[in-house]
Structure formats: structure tokens, C-alpha cells
């Protein structure tokens, strides 16, 4: 099976976590896109969705799925999204698609985080995938110095030779070379660096369930 076929398989499996009659939180990225395509098939069973990025909102609307503003929602049963890495405790690195801030906000309002990923995303120790950090632009160098003191190497993410700007108008520093043995502690430490908007570590509130796409089928991990 190709990586895309594995992603499609977990996207299909995630549909069973969507609660009829309830709004669903939807993540960002290629796996989340496959999920949106599957969600479209059952769109008449839900009022709509909350999107974690402009790209996801656009794709939901293209499928005729109503997009709700998070401010209209008090809670939702489930948030479904991909990950760049996930460990055996359900902690994740996210933000490869630069949507980490809205992803973390929408996930915080959901009762359950269902991670959908191909099997390559499951790792023993996170950090091989550079850790995305969303930063206020004027704090770029100040934050980079602090991140480098933690043992990583912060690099500005570029797009077409220019700093990539998030949906919130901020920049992304990708921290290379970290070995994240204690993700909860590192997330807390980084959250205290002035100028950081969001750390792409989802550890204090990680996944509750992970649907992993493997050659032999979809494996369900619960945390
Ligand atoms: C976007 C994310 C994505 O969930 C993560 O990058 C995984 O993406 P993909 O499903 O394309 O592998 O965090 O900000």
C-alpha cells in the first residue's frame, strides 16, 4: 500500500468516531484532507464542522459542509487530525502544515482527540521531525536564541524564498536536532518563552486515540 492509501484507510476508519447530530473538529494536512472527503459522504448526519485552518475551511465548504466559528461552540465530542510524529504516550509533534495554533485551540475544545496517521509517524522518541513553533515576527531572533539554548537549531520556515506566514500572520521556527524524551516538560518550558504563540508539541493534551495505517490494516491505539 502507498502512504496515501494508508492515509485514506485511517481517514475512512475515523468516520466511526464522528457523532451523529454533533459538530466535528477537523484538522489540517493531507490525512485530514482525506478525512474531509470521507466526511462529505455522511455530511447529512452532522450539523457541520469547526476548521483548524483556512485551507481546511475551504475544503469543507467545497464539499458543502457547513463551517462553524469556534466562538459559536461550547464543546464538541471529537477532533480528528493528523500528526507529524506520535509516541507511545499519545504525545505528538504537529505543525508540518503550519496550522498548529488553530489545531491546538480547536482540539482544546473537543472531548476527544483522534489522531489519524500512517504507521511511519509512530516513533519511540520524537524530534527527528523538526519541531514547529509559531512565533510573533518581531520576536524571531530573541525566540531563536532561547530555542537554541535548549539544544536545538531553530530555522525560519520559508515559502517561495520568503518567511512563511501562518493563518494568524506569524512566522514558524522549525527546531531541528531535538531528542524529546520528556514532551510534557518541554512543552511547558517552551510555553514560557516570551514571543512564542504556540509550540507544536501536543503532549499535555495529546491524542486519546490513534488510528495508525499499517500494511496489515488499521491499528487502534488508545492512551
Ligand atoms: C498541520 C499538521 C498535520 O496534521 C501534520 O503536518 C501531518 O500532516 P499530513 O497528514 O499531511 O502528514 O499538524 O499543521
Amino acid at each position: 500500500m502507498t502512504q496515501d492509501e494508508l492515509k485514506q484507510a485511517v481517514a475512512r476508519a475515523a468516520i466511526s468516531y464522528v457523532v451523529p447530530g454533533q459538530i466535528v473538529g477537523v484538522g489540517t494536512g493531507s490525512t485530514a484532507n482525506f478525512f474531509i472527503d470521507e466526511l462529505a459522504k455522511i455530511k447529512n448526519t452532522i450539523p457541520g464542522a469547526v476548521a483548524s485552518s483556512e485551507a481546511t475551511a475551504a475544503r469543507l465548504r467545497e464539499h458543502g459542509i457547513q463551517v462553524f466559528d469556534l466562538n459559536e461552540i461550547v464543546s464538541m465530542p471529537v477532533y480528528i487530525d493528523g500528526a507529524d510524529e506520535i509516541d507511545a504516550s499519545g504525545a505528538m509533534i504537529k505543525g508540518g502544515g503550519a496550522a498548529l495554533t488553530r489545531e491546538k485551540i480547536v482540539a482544546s475544545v473537543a472531548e476527544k482527540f483522534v489522531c489519524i496517521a500512517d504507521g511511519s509517524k509512530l516513533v519511540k522518541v520524537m524530534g527527528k521531525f523538526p519541531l514547529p513553533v509559531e512565533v510573533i515576527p518581531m520576536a524571531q531572533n530573541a525566540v531563536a536564541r532561547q530555542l537554541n539554548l535548549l539544544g536545538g537549531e531553530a530555522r525560519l520556515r520559508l515559502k517561495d524564498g520568503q518567511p512563511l506566514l501562518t493563518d494568524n500572520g506569524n512566522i514558524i521556527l522549525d527546531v531541528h536536532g531535538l531528542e524529546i524524551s520528556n514532551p510534557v516538560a518541554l512543552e511547558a518550558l517552551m510555553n514560557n518563552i516570551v514571543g512564542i504563540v504556540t509550540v507544536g508539541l501536543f503532549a499535555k493534551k495529546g491524542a486519546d486515540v490513534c488510528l495508525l495505517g499499517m500494511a496489515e490494516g488499521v491499528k487502534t491505539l488508545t492512551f
Side-chain angles (χ1 to χ4, degrees):
M1 277 172 108
T2 65
Q3 203 178 18
D4 273 356
E5 285 168 339
L6 295 174
K7 289 178 181 186
Q8 269 166 332
V10 291
R12 267 195 301 276
I15 290 296
S16 66
Y17 288 85
V18 176
V19 180
Q22 301 284 324
I23 286 167
V24 58
V26 182
T28 297
S30 56
T31 320
N33 281 344
F34 285 126
F35 172 70
I36 294 168
D37 299 344
E38 293 298 323
L39 191 63
K41 298 176 188 166
I42 59 148
K43 67 181 177 189
N44 295 331
T45 69
I46 55 164
V50 176
S52 60
S53 63
E54 300 296 344
T56 287
R59 195 177 184 97
L60 287 163
R61 288 194 184 103
E62 275 164 26
H63 279 299
I65 299 169
Q66 189 174 345
V67 177
F68 287 84
D69 187 308
L70 186 63
N71 288 311
E72 298 174 63
I73 310 299
V74 176
S75 75
M76 64 190 105
V78 68
Y79 174 75
I80 298 175
D81 197 357
D84 298 301
E85 286 184 344
I86 181 163
D87 74 9
S89 72
M92 295 167 284
I93 286 183
K94 291 187 45 55
L100 60 163
T101 296
R102 295 191 187 192
E103 291 173 340
K104 214 176 232 192
I105 293 170
V106 181
S108 77
V109 176
E111 284 157 36
K112 187 181 279 188
F113 190 130
V114 176
C115 173
I116 48 176
D118 67 86
S120 70
K121 305 287 181 70
L122 181 66
V123 298
K124 278 209 169 70
V125 179
M126 295 190 294
K128 199 166 172 202
F129 189 94
L131 176 62
V133 179
E134 181 163 349
V135 174
I136 300 285
M138 71 168 285
Q140 175 187 335
N141 291 342
V143 168
R145 284 192 293 274
Q146 296 292 317
L147 292 173
N148 292 346
L149 286 177
L150 297 176
E153 191 208 331
R155 294 188 206 154
L156 180 65
R157 193 182 298 183
L158 301 175
K159 190 181 173 197
D160 303 326
Q162 295 298 315
L164 175 142
L165 291 184
T166 68
D167 284 350
N168 314 305
N170 298 314
I171 56 168
I172 299 281
L173 293 177
D174 290 307
V175 190
H176 294 248
L178 291 173
E179 264 201 47
I180 306 175
S181 50
N182 189 338
V184 175
L186 185 63
E187 183 181 14
L189 190 68
M190 286 184 164
N191 278 339
N192 275 330
I193 297 176
V194 174
I196 287 182
V197 177
T198 304
V199 180
L201 262 178
F202 289 51
K204 185 172 179 225
K205 188 179 186 320
D208 298 289
V209 176
C210 182
L211 303 176
L212 266 189
M214 319 284 276
E216 57 274 21
V218 175
K219 192 172 166 186
T220 304
L221 310 176
T222 46
F223 307 101

